[in-house]
Amino acid sequence: MSTLTATAEEPRTAPARPAYRVTGRRVLASEWAKLWSLRSTWITLGLGLLFLVAFGLISASRYKSGITSGHLDRDFADSTAVSLSLFGTNFAQLALGVLGVLVTAGEYSTGMIRSTLAAVPRRLPVLWSKAAVFGLVALVVGTVGGFVAFLFGSGIVAGTPAAMSLSHAGVLRSLLGAGLYLGLVGVIGTALGALLRSVAGGISVLVAALMLIPGLISLLPSSWRDDISPYLPSNAGESMFALTHDSTTLSPGAGLLVFLGWTALALGGAAYRLARTDV
């Protein structure tokens, strides 16, 4: 007679899988890695830095030659080392703003946004991280470019009425204000890319807001123009780093608040669309 012995099998346990959680730090790290993995990032940031420094040095050299020859252009009559060095800000803002649009709208054009939002289902942390990462990068590039342009530009105009140093009143505030302005322009570009989900559309709105609308406002009656013009994004931003102000411009603090309002408006619109509509 045979006896059957039952041996209890030990339960098989699946290997423990590491628990990955979506955290703000990890989303920031992901967006940082994506930003620097694109060749366009390096090229466009380089162009923005080049525009800021090169045009600043060109304007300083032109001022110096005008003073030396005795035929100074009327547009340079009241120039200072700060205004000459920051002459390239208007060109640098286009490069940084366009790159901000590409940071978000580029993912929609390639379809990568689906993978991004699958990894971060709550969606809004993606927008905040993109804006924070690129805004910080644009801030650093703008600040470094402004200081480099000023240090070399002030050397060019040394011994002229425009000569200034970092110790002069308002110089440090103007250079830091220019960097902050360019950083916020990058954030606005990021928001427009997420809001419009189109590279061409985002760039068009950015250029119109910063360059075209101020020109069109000049066609309005002077009473209207004087009331509206200081609150336009570009004019409010310019008051952040202007060394002198008059009755037709905002103070640096007021300009910062107005420009922050425009930035918040763009981010709010982008956040609403991202949270309420499908990709």
Side-chain angles (χ1 to χ4, degrees):
M1 184 175 180
S2 61
T3 58
L4 299 177
T5 60
T7 59
E9 295 183 359
E10 295 183 359
R12 296 180 179 178
T13 58
R17 297 176 59 184
Y20 292 108
R21 294 174 47 215
V22 178
T23 63
R25 182 179 62 83
R26 286 172 174 164
V27 177
L28 284 170
S30 173
E31 295 302 329
W32 179 269
K34 284 193 291 185
L35 177 66
W36 294 110
S37 65
L38 300 175
R39 185 180 301 174
S40 60
T41 299
W42 297 92
I43 295 174
T44 313
L45 287 178
L47 287 175
L49 186 60
L50 176 64
F51 290 158
L52 189 55
V53 175
F55 281 103
L57 297 183
I58 290 172
S59 63
S61 299
R62 185 177 174 185
Y63 176 87
K64 178 72 172 182
S65 63
I67 287 290
T68 304
S69 63
H71 296 86
L72 183 64
D73 194 325
R74 183 182 303 175
D75 295 335
F76 288 88
D78 299 325
S79 296
T80 64
V82 172
S83 62
L84 293 170
S85 300
L86 297 180
F87 184 81
T89 304
N90 289 334
F91 302 94
Q93 70 180 357
L94 290 181
L96 297 176
V98 166
L99 183 56
V101 173
L102 290 173
V103 166
T104 48
E107 289 201 23
Y108 283 94
S109 62
T110 60
M112 186 178 177
I113 190 65
R114 297 185 182 89
S115 300
T116 299
L117 296 183
V120 189
R122 293 177 58 190
R123 296 191 175 191
L124 289 184
V126 173
L127 176 62
W128 309 141
S129 297
K130 286 181 180 294
V133 167
F134 184 67
L136 177 61
V137 171
L139 169 65
V140 171
V141 170
T143 303
V144 170
F147 273 90
V148 171
F150 176 78
L151 292 176
F152 285 97
S154 60
I156 294 175
V157 300
T160 68
M164 302 185 81
S165 66
L166 284 174
S167 60
H168 278 76
V171 171
L172 191 60
R173 188 266 305 164
S174 295
L175 296 178
L176 293 176
L180 179 58
Y181 169 69
L182 292 175
L184 292 175
V185 167
V187 174
I188 290 178
T190 304
L192 290 176
L195 175 62
L196 301 175
R197 302 182 178 183
S198 166
V199 174
I203 293 175
S204 298
V205 172
L206 179 74
V207 173
L210 296 179
M211 303 189 71
L212 297 183
I213 293 179
L216 295 176
I217 291 295
S218 63
L219 302 177
L220 295 175
S222 59
S223 59
W224 294 10
R225 183 175 63 247
D226 294 341
D227 291 336
I228 297 175
S229 181
Y231 299 95
L232 295 177
S234 57
N235 293 339
E238 185 177 350
S239 67
M240 293 169 54
F241 58 87
L243 194 60
T244 59
H245 300 82
D246 55 35
S247 59
T248 62
T249 61
L250 299 176
S251 65
L256 174 60
L257 291 177
V258 171
F259 200 70
L260 284 174
W262 285 110
T263 306
L265 181 64
L267 280 174
Y272 180 84
R273 188 175 187 191
L274 183 62
R276 294 303 182 107
T277 61
D278 294 332
V279 297

